[in-house]
């Protein structure tokens, strides 16, 4: 019997090669590029930054045709930035799924958001009992997914994120927005 030395599979090697691990303090200065197709970045912060920061980073390089985001909490600054990106045409369509507890926790922010989106047909907000922090962005050629512990408001110092470019993952995560039980829509 011949002694055959086992080589790692090409599948394993390619998955290893397209995975990158990085600690970040300032996302837009430290992340040198967006992930390529079927590439995943595993990130952790050791200083506070808003999870929304990924969106302008993508928007600087590519127009976003569809953006879906779920969050437990949302700040007025993020609302203003999303509206600005939408109005400038950087983001064509926005769908937010916000934890329905925010309606009672911060009614002023919810009223502000609803007033701003009332005249924007491509800007939708739904409310559900959601704690997921997922954002998916479709561009002409790419399918980005951002997942992690950070909200779209102020965050703790230590957060973790996965930043990926994968059509399969995008399609899977989109079901969160298309198949969830919603409490209220505009």
């Amino acid at each position: 019997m011949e002694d055959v030395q086992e080589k790692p599979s090409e599948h394993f090697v390619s998955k290893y090669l397209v995975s990158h691990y990085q600690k970040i303090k300032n996302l837009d200065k430290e992340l040198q590029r967006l992930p390529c197709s079927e590439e995943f970045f595993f990130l952790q912060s050791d200083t506070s930054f808003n999870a929304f920061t990924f969106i302008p980073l993508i928007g600087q390089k590519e127009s976003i045709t569809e953006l879906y985001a779920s969050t437990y909490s949302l700040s007025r600054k993020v609302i203003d930035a999303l509206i600005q990106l939408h109005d400038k045409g950087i983001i064509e369509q926005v769908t937010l799924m916000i934890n329905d507890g925010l309606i009672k926790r911060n009614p002023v922010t919810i009223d502000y958001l609803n007033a701003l989106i009332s005249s924007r047909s491509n800007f939708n907000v739904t409310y559900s009992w959601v704690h997921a922090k997922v954002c998916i962005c479709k561009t002409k050629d790419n399918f980005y997914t951002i997942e992690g512990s950070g909200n779209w408001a102020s965050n703790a110092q230590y957060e973790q994120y996965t930043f990926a470019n994968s059509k399969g993952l995008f399609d899977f995560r989109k079901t969160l927005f298309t198949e969830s039980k919603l409490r209220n829509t505009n």
Side-chain angles (χ1 to χ4, degrees):
M1 185 154 113
E2 190 176 309
D3 184 24
V4 178
Q5 190 173 22
E6 204 172 304
K7 294 189 298 187
S9 74
E10 288 180 34
H11 185 69
F12 175 78
V13 173
S14 67
K15 284 195 179 283
Y16 174 76
L17 291 176
V18 297
S19 298
H20 304 277
Y21 306 95
Q22 186 174 350
K23 280 188 182 179
I24 51 176
K25 293 182 189 299
N26 191 334
L27 184 66
D28 58 342
K29 291 182 178 149
E30 294 179 7
L31 195 62
Q32 299 298 312
R33 62 181 178 82
L34 301 178
C36 298
S37 181
E38 298 309 318
E39 186 172 38
F40 297 73
F41 295 157
F42 299 93
L43 309 168
Q44 65 188 39
S45 64
D46 58 6
T47 187
S48 182
F49 73 86
N50 192 301
F52 171 76
T53 307
F54 289 93
I55 306 312
L57 184 69
I58 294 168
Q60 287 174 354
K61 306 206 185 299
E62 304 177 52
S63 292
I64 299 169
T65 56
E66 297 175 35
L67 179 138
Y68 295 83
S70 64
T71 187
Y72 180 79
S73 185
L74 181 72
S75 72
R76 285 178 64 140
K77 289 178 183 179
V78 168
I79 293 168
D80 289 339
L82 269 176
I83 294 290
Q84 183 177 349
L85 291 170
H86 178 267
D87 289 352
K88 286 184 172 183
I90 295 169
I91 305 173
E92 188 177 319
Q93 175 205 333
V94 176
T95 300
L96 299 179
M97 179 187 289
I98 301 171
N99 182 282
D100 60 4
L102 193 61
I103 297 168
K104 288 188 178 182
R105 285 193 324 272
N106 197 340
V108 173
T109 297
I110 295 301
D111 290 345
Y112 180 71
L113 173 62
N114 288 333
L116 289 174
I117 67 168
S118 65
S119 62
R120 292 166 174 88
S121 61
N122 285 349
F123 206 117
N124 302 295
V125 176
T126 59
Y127 300 94
S128 183
W129 185 247
V130 64
H131 196 259
K133 290 118 179 153
V134 173
C135 178
I136 57 175
C137 300
K138 180 180 176 191
T139 67
K140 180 182 174 206
D141 299 313
N142 293 293
F143 299 87
Y144 297 108
T145 302
I146 302 113
E147 301 182 14
S149 58
N151 282 303
W152 283 31
S154 58
N155 285 317
Q157 184 169 352
Y158 300 108
E159 302 285 354
Q160 97 287 343
Y161 299 96
T162 302
F163 186 22
N165 183 353
S166 170
K167 184 175 183 334
L169 180 58
F170 177 93
D171 291 342
F172 175 68
R173 288 298 185 220
K174 191 172 180 179
T175 63
L176 175 67
F177 302 93
T178 59
E179 298 176 12
S180 294
K181 294 178 183 176
L182 306 177
R183 193 178 97 138
N184 183 11
T185 61
N186 64 322

